[in-house]
Amino acid sequence: MTTAGDIMHRGARWIPAHETLDRAAQLMRELGVGALPIGDDNDRLCGILTDRDIVVGCVAMGHDPSKVTAGEMANGTPRWIEASADVDEVLREMQDHQIRRLPVIENKRLVGMISEADLARHLNDDQIASWVENVYAMSGTSRQ
């Protein structure tokens, strides 16, 4: 059985909710990633911040990324998966919620992230085709 822990990108880091978006962008650049989980004061997942969120939700709105925090950008219910979850559960979670990145938790701690690239590296063609059809087709034109 292939698990979330088998396919995730290890060493994921999160950004504290009180950190500013300019710092988040710097951390994304340093890590070579396009998204960071957001952690609250109790080290619990409270959202995910993407590079697109910073550009569209802050900069394009005329806000100063050095004054807006990651926590202010967190919205909705954060989704995550246990490291021991079967890959079918990973796909179902991502498809059901139309998400392209999924934090992986073990013992209540962030241990990794699963992205589209991770799926492409570890899944067979049929699994990838089904995932793409379900996530992208259902999202329509609202996500470009």
Side-chain angles (χ1 to χ4, degrees), residues 7 18 34 40 59 63 82 91 96-97 100-101 129 133 135:
I7 67 171
H18 66 270
D40 68 12
V59 176
H63 302 295
E82 286 284 340
L91 294 173
D96 288 352
H97 300 283
R100 297 176 181 123
R101 296 172 181 100
E133 181 180 332
V135 171

Side-chain angles (χ1 to χ4, degrees), residues 104-135:
V104 180
I105 305 294
E106 188 172 59
N107 298 322
K108 298 183 182 182
R109 293 281 182 219
L110 176 71
V111 293
M113 287 281 282
I114 296 174
S115 69
E116 295 167 295
D118 298 312
L119 297 179
R121 279 192 293 277
H122 294 93
L123 303 181
N124 66 47
D125 291 344
D126 291 337
Q127 289 172 308
I128 294 169
S130 175
W131 183 83
V132 167
E133 181 180 332
N134 286 302
V135 171

Side-chain angles (χ1 to χ4, degrees), residues 45-70:
L45 181 67
C46 64
I48 293 184
L49 178 68
T50 67
D51 48 7
R52 186 175 194 281
D53 293 333
I54 295 170
V55 172
V56 175
C58 178
V59 176
M61 300 296 287
H63 302 295
D64 182 349
S66 68
K67 293 186 169 64
V68 178
T69 66

